[in-house]
Structure formats: C-alpha cells, structure tokens
Amino acid sequence: MTGAGGRAEGGAGGRAERGAGGDIAVLGAGMHPWGKWGHGFVRYGTAAARAALADAGVDWRRIDSVVGADTVRGGYPGYVAGATFARALGWQGARVSSVYAACASGAQAIATARAQILAGLADVVLVVGADAAPKGFFAPAGGDRPDDPDWLRFRLLGATNPAYFGLHARRRMALYGETPEDFALVKVKNAAAGALNPDARYRTAVTAADVAASAVVADPLRLLDVCATSDGGAALVLSSMEFARRHGTDGPVRIRAVSTVTPTYPRTVLDLPDIATDSAAVVAPSPVPFRASIARAAYEEAGIGPDDLSLAEVYDLSTALELEWYEDIGLCAPGDGAQLVRSGATALGGRIPVNTSGGLASFGEAVPAQALAQVCELTRQLRGRAGARQVAGARVGITANQGLFGHGSAVVVVR
C-alpha cells in the first residue's frame, strides 16, 4: 500500500465498493463551544447532544443507543458516561455503552456505535463526549500504580506532556533540519482557520513573530506551539443507511472506516507515555510506525488512499507533531512535513487543507470530545456548511488521533 514517495497507494476502486457496504450515515453533528466555562462535563455533553439531535431532526426518544466517551476527572459519573448523558437527556430506555481510550475515546465510541448499527442492534445511535479539563498540565490521578506507564513517567521522570512534545520537536530538528520557524507556521495556519470557527476557544489570528515572542514551555517549543486544556463537548447522531433513507436524508455524509489499531511489537520509537522502548534484539521492528499504521488501516478498510483526500483533521498537540502527522497519513514522505507547510498546501485554500477547524491549537484539549469534534468538522465540510472555512468540493476526509497506552484513532468520512 505504500508507494515510493512514502505515500499510501489505493484509490476509490474495488476496495471502495466493498467498504461502502459498511457505511453508516452521519445524520447530525453538534458541539458545545470550547473554552473555560467553569461547569461540569455533563452540561457540555448534553448541550452538544441536543445540538446534534436538532441537526439530525431526530427526536431523543427515537434514539436506540447512547455511547458515551468517558472523562475520568469528573468523579464517579465520568466512568459511566453513556448512562450519565442518557439520564441528563431523560431516561427513555435506550441501551448505553461507555468507552475510555484517552484522547482516542471519541473514535472508539464511534466504532462501538458503528458495530451496533452494522450488527442490526440499533438503527440510530447518539455518540457523546465532553470534558471539563483542569487548568495547566494533565497529570495522572492519585495513588500508586506501578503498572501504569503514565503514572511512572511522572513519578520517575517528572515528565509532563509538553516535555515529550519538546523532545519530539528536537528529534525532528536533528533528523530533518526543521526549525522553530517551521513549527510556528503550523500555529499561524491553524490560528487563521480557528479565527473563522465559532466553536473554537481561541479566535485570533497570530503571526510567526507572536509565536517567537511567547514564553518557552519545553525548548524549543513556546507557549503558542503547545495546545491548552479546555472545556467542551461534541456529539454525533449516527444511523444505518436504511434509517437515513426512511428519515428522508438524501445523500448523507457517511463514515466508511474507523481504525482503532494498536502498536506492533517491538515498539522502537519512544512515544508518550512510555519511558523505554521494546528490545529489537530478536524481533525486527515493523516497517510501518504506529501512527502510520493507524491511517493505513483506515485507508485499507475504506478502499482509498491519501490522494483521494479533500482535507484532514489531525491531532496537533504541538506544532511539531502536526508535521509528523502529515507524513503518517501519507501526505508526504518522512521528513517532508515542514516543506509541505511552507508551501501552503495544508492551509485553507491549499492543495490538501489540514485542521480547517483550527485544530487543538485553536480549541485546546477536551479529551473525550476531541475525536468527535474532528468528525463534526469533516461533516460540516462535506456538507458544504463550513462557512468561511469551506474547502471547495470536499468529498473525502480523514481524522487522525492517538490516545495514551497504544490507542489508535482514525475515521474516514465520505460524501
């Protein structure tokens, strides 16, 4: 599937026909704007759910199933998010499921809903994720958990997330000759898109000089290179294609593939939250790195390749990480991410716009909602309803995300 340029091969041919049999419809997409609002996650998720139901034109009482993407900072209710949102909307007998996969929770919730729909267990499903994130750096919950690599890296190294982001940026500088000025271009691009998005937290355009003048967080990354933590919510109403037809929805946006793959042993690239790699003394490393394998699985299931994409939403925890996602989803060869952003190809109006929503640079992290928010953006784009952010003729999009502990996340959305 990988061509000479490091790009995945494939087109909208035979595999696409097979993949279409697994399509589900996106009837509704809704969000609660990101920010620091001072309320609980249930409030944000309920608002997003009601917006998605209104967008779909589906009565809450018609929903067969609710899948909640969990937040684990909200106390006990956070662990039963599906039931939490069903209760907030009003008990009506729907089955419930709850999913936790860190930042990939939203995509895993979509995968759960899709499985229920394709198995004939539900016609129409509400998927919801929301968070009320702490101010400052994320940290693990209290208590001693020596088997938890996230707890270990704080206990043994004192390494916050931005520490990893800085190390990753330094690695790209050493391997590919990238510069802080290259990283700043990502922030400038994403801030320009976020300024046009009413759901974004930060809606102000910035310049490269603004990035360079912001405080150093984890050298070489500055404050404007690193995403914030935020409150927010996102929701989708998903259905079978037959239900969509009966509902009178003509030519709906469809989810064609969901990738939730894990790494392949041995894992020889250090990645958050790990503090050591696997030994490759006996078993050779996989030729496909973990993040690239996430997108590859989605492309293979959907029967498409990166050349078929109209746009992408990727997980820009830091500006440097966005450049690597370009390579991982096959937009360019390894090491060419900076060249791609310099060319303007990934900006609004470019050849392959990335993070037309504004990305995490403009939203910040509201963990369980993030992968859902990415699909909300693709849905609006493929419907032609993204306003000033609209990508002309958008037909195919992919999301790319990653959660702690080897949770992959990619969703292919088509029209």
Side-chain angles (χ1 to χ4, degrees), residues 183-238:
F183 304 150
L185 292 176
V186 176
K187 174 64 177 183
V188 171
K189 169 187 74 70
N190 289 350
L196 304 173
N197 191 338
D199 289 321
R201 176 179 179 181
Y202 301 106
R203 300 189 59 198
T204 303
V206 303
T207 66
D210 293 329
V211 180
S214 63
V216 173
V217 174
D219 185 73
L221 299 178
R222 295 179 174 272
L223 184 63
L224 294 184
D225 285 303
V226 179
C227 75
T229 61
S230 290
D231 299 354
L236 299 167
V237 176
L238 308 176

Side-chain angles (χ1 to χ4, degrees), residues 100-335:
Y100 182 70
C103 295
S105 296
Q108 296 239 6
I110 292 171
T112 299
R114 182 172 179 248
Q116 291 178 356
I117 292 167
L118 295 180
L121 299 175
D123 285 330
V124 57
V125 180
L126 174 67
V127 184
V128 192
D131 206 359
K135 185 176 181 180
F137 301 140
F138 286 125
D144 290 344
R145 296 189 309 284
D147 293 327
D148 177 353
D150 200 33
W151 179 86
L152 283 172
R153 53 118 172 179
F154 277 88
R155 180 71 173 264
L156 299 180
L157 301 179
T160 62
N161 288 5
Y164 272 83
F165 306 157
L167 290 169
H168 173 266
R170 278 288 170 198
R171 184 174 185 269
R172 290 194 64 84
M173 292 171 73
L175 287 176
Y176 307 128
E178 293 176 355
T179 68
E181 290 73 26
D182 292 323
F183 304 150
L185 292 176
V186 176
K187 174 64 177 183
V188 171
K189 169 187 74 70
N190 289 350
L196 304 173
N197 191 338
D199 289 321
R201 176 179 179 181
Y202 301 106
R203 300 189 59 198
T204 303
V206 303
T207 66
D210 293 329
V211 180
S214 63
V216 173
V217 174
D219 185 73
L221 299 178
R222 295 179 174 272
L223 184 63
L224 294 184
D225 285 303
V226 179
C227 75
T229 61
S230 290
D231 299 354
L236 299 167
V237 176
L238 308 176
S239 80
S240 66
M241 297 304 296
E242 176 58 28
F243 180 91
R245 283 190 286 271
R246 295 199 310 268
H247 187 62
T249 304
D250 183 34
V253 168
R254 292 159 286 155
I255 290 176
R256 177 154 292 176
V258 183
S259 169
T260 59
V261 299
T262 56
T264 300
Y265 180 87
R267 192 172 185 181
T268 57
V269 175
L270 192 63
D271 199 5
L272 188 92
D274 299 316
I275 57 176
T277 61
D278 297 333
S279 172
V282 178
V283 181
S286 169
V288 182
F290 173 46
R291 277 192 293 267
S293 74
I294 299 170
R296 172 179 286 221
Y299 287 139
E300 289 180 346
E301 182 180 337
I304 66 166
D307 288 336
D308 297 303
L309 296 176
S310 306
L311 74 161
E313 285 285 305
V314 305
Y315 195 40
D316 59 318
L317 288 166
S318 78
T319 51
L321 186 60
E322 177 168 323
L323 298 182
E324 187 141 325
W325 276 118
Y326 296 168
E327 301 158 14
D328 292 331
I329 67 173
L331 302 184
C332 62

